[in-house]
């Protein structure tokens, strides 16, 4: 019987850095693992919208000379390889503090993610784990920690 894949939400900042491939970093290796199918990635319309907006920013676009059709293709490919979740779970009163992070956490809660992979050291990583009755614990980890877990899994 095949082993169940680890389920994870990858935060926008990690996805964009993986897409841009600016240097060999943990974010690039997480993105490569996503593409290879080493884990079950979860995504929502909110995350896809954030990725699109970020890639369309002039300074980001200039890094890879991205055209609109290339951005559309990247976002379409993410939609194809990731499991879609609504990301609209509402019962997250003060978790996390930054309201923009709540839909990302919601996607992890709704999708039964084991991990939320992020570099958000101010708001998300200090939480370490989110425990909500009736849902799988959601561990919040850096890309490096996530890759170590995948290697041991």
């Amino acid at each position: 019987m095949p082993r169940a894949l680890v389920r994870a939400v990858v935060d926008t900042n990690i996805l964009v850095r993986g897409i841009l491939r600016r240097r060999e970093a943990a974010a690039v290796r997480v993105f490569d693992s996503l593409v290879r199918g080493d884990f079950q990635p979860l995504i929502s319309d909110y995350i896809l919208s954030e990725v699109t907006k970020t890639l369309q920013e002039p300074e980001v676009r200039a890094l890879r000379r991205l055209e609109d059709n290339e951005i559309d293709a990247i976002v379409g490919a993410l939609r194809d390889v990731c499991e879609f979740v609504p990301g609209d779970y509402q019962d997250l009163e003060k978790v996390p503090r930054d309201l923009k992070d709540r839909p990302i956490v919601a996607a992890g809660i709704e999708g039964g993610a084991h991990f939320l992979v992020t570099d958000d050291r101010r708001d998300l990583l200090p939480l370490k784990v989110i425990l909500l009755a009736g849902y799988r614990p959601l561990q919040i980890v850096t890309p490096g920690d996530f890759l170590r877990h995948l290697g041991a899994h």
Side-chain angles (χ1 to χ4, degrees), residues 69-87:
N69 63 330
E70 293 171 301
I71 294 170
D72 292 344
I74 291 166
V75 170
L78 282 173
R79 187 179 283 281
D80 290 345
V81 300
C82 297
E83 181 180 321
F84 183 80
V85 294

Side-chain angles (χ1 to χ4, degrees), residues 100-111:
K100 292 188 312 182
D101 291 331
R102 289 186 184 170
I104 295 167
V105 171
I109 298 294
E110 291 170 355

